[in-house]
Amino acid sequence: FQSPMLAGVPRLPVPRPPASGLGDRNTQINAQSNAPAIRRGDAKKPPVGAPSVHDLFSGNKNRVPMHAFFSGLAPHERTPSAHSVSPQIWAMTSDTAVGWRVPDGTGGVVGSGGFHKRMLTAGCVARLLDMDWVVNAVRFVVWHHSCVTRSFPSQLTQGLLTADAVTQRLLYKYEREILGAKRPWTRRVWERDTPSSAPAVLVVSAVRRVPTGTSAGSGTSVTGDFDERTCVELELSDGWYGVAARCDKTLTDLVKRGALRVGQKILVQGLELMPKEGEPVGPLAADADDLWLALRANQVRPAPWDAKLGSLKKTVAVPLRNVTPD
């Protein structure tokens, strides 16, 4: 199986054995009998399609959960550290991360264009590497690394927000999504290949106002719950893309009280993608701004700070005492 994204990428020619006449059959048999036996798995197949740029399984053996890496401390329980964090990183948001230039360790800085060149140098195929994809990936990688750095300002996080570290993370995303065709939850939902009701863990990356002049979407019977004059719009992310989500009255009150804030991880299930009728679009397409998720209080639950972002295999049961009548 080959990803449709790789269709058209030239395949490398497969070497063929030289042709020989019938008179050389005895010579071939003798040569084969004297040749060492090739064990299964010794022969390497020639590479096909785009080359690999990152080993997805290189760190699986020594990988530990984030809470174990930081000695079981939550971000608000961090120990005092002499390692200083720059004011720019303290003020970093998912929006300001777009134009952030990462130091390269030699006195220079690298932006989205520089990371694009670094990825091409590492072996990425230019035809498959869209600049909009790179800008979006740099945004969430830089924001994520900044959050970890300011949450745990210790020796363990030094070197996390550098050009080399960001480049490795970008190569991982390229290898997984573009070459491996493993789309994240947000992209599959926006392309309507996965129902929006599927359970997932997302992070609140931004709080915004609902754009004026937009409707609540066709096909919904609860238009009043998402009135643009009263509801709040969140940007939710699975670490790959950011998508719009509108809150009902109960969640809007939680946002205004600060109980639901930027950087918090939430468990969502049973959501609706509005409008219900529409064509599949990518999260970075121009038409993607017309879609949004309808968030209701009974469909959202807080998730642990170190929960893995993305889709879940099973739905999560919620006690009846936690269900609100609204």
Side-chain angles (χ1 to χ4, degrees):
F1 173 78
Q2 189 180 19
S3 168
M5 302 180 195
L6 302 184
V9 178
R11 294 174 176 265
L12 299 179
V14 179
R16 299 179 178 274
S20 58
L22 296 177
D24 299 330
R25 180 172 178 81
N26 294 331
T27 304
Q28 295 177 8
I29 294 177
N30 294 333
Q32 293 177 0
S33 61
N34 297 329
I38 300 178
R39 295 177 299 176
R40 187 176 182 179
D42 288 351
K44 295 183 179 180
K45 296 182 180 180
V48 178
S52 175
V53 296
H54 190 281
D55 187 2
L56 298 178
F57 307 100
S58 60
N60 282 358
K61 296 181 179 180
N62 300 324
R63 183 174 298 176
V64 296
M66 185 173 292
H67 70 276
F69 183 79
F70 291 107
S71 303
L73 296 177
H76 63 277
E77 299 172 343
R78 60 180 181 266
T79 57
S81 173
H83 178 59
S84 60
V85 179
S86 64
Q88 293 81 3
I89 296 180
W90 279 113
M92 180 77 69
T93 65
S94 61
D95 293 329
T96 58
V98 177
W100 178 260
R101 296 182 178 273
V102 184
D104 59 1
T106 61
V109 291
V110 182
S112 298
F115 285 116
H116 185 268
K117 295 180 180 178
R118 280 174 166 243
M119 296 181 70
L120 294 178
T121 304
C124 297
V125 180
R127 188 180 64 84
L128 303 177
L129 193 61
D130 186 70
M131 189 60 195
D132 292 338
W133 184 91
V134 175
V135 173
N136 176 78
V138 170
R139 173 197 176 193
F140 284 103
V141 170
V142 170
W143 182 57
H144 172 252
H145 285 200
S146 299
C147 292
V148 176
T149 300
R150 64 192 179 202
S151 297
F152 300 96
S154 62
Q155 301 294 330
L156 297 177
T157 57
Q158 287 190 4
L160 188 61
L161 194 57
T162 60
D164 292 339
V166 174
T167 301
Q168 288 301 316
R169 193 64 181 176
L170 294 176
L171 295 178
Y172 165 82
K173 287 178 173 286
Y174 171 87
E175 183 76 25
R176 185 178 179 87
E177 181 182 2
I178 298 180
L179 296 189
K182 296 181 180 179
R183 297 172 297 170
W185 185 87
T186 49
R187 180 176 173 182
R188 286 186 279 112
V189 170
W190 250 239
E191 293 178 350
R192 299 184 185 270
D193 289 329
T194 292
S196 58
S197 59
V201 175
L202 306 176
V203 62
V204 181
S205 55
V207 178
R208 297 191 173 92
R209 294 181 179 271
V210 178
T212 57
T214 58
S215 62
S218 59
T220 174
S221 59
V222 288
T223 305
D225 293 345
F226 303 99
D227 188 353
E228 64 182 27
R229 296 170 298 179
T230 57
C231 72
V232 172
E233 182 175 279
L234 304 178
E235 184 188 52
L236 301 180
S237 174
D238 56 0
W240 297 76
Y241 298 97
V243 295
R246 298 184 186 179
C247 302
D248 65 355
K249 183 179 182 303
T250 303
L251 291 178
T252 299
D253 293 340
L254 292 178
V255 173
K256 292 180 179 179
R257 297 203 312 261
L260 184 59
R261 58 192 182 276
V262 175
Q264 184 175 356
K265 293 182 180 181
I266 56 176
L267 167 66
V268 297
Q269 53 187 356
L271 305 185
E272 288 184 277
L273 180 62
M274 299 297 179
K276 294 183 179 180
E277 296 82 11
E279 295 295 328
V281 296
L284 299 181
D287 298 337
D289 296 335
D290 299 332
L291 303 179
W292 50 275
L293 294 170
L295 290 182
R296 299 174 179 86
N298 291 328
Q299 301 166 340
V300 179
R301 288 292 178 270
W305 71 271
D306 59 337
K308 184 178 179 181
L309 296 177
S311 59
L312 299 178
K313 296 182 179 180
K314 298 180 180 179
T315 57
V316 179
V318 178
L320 289 178
R321 63 178 179 272
N322 294 335
V323 178
T324 60
D326 298 334

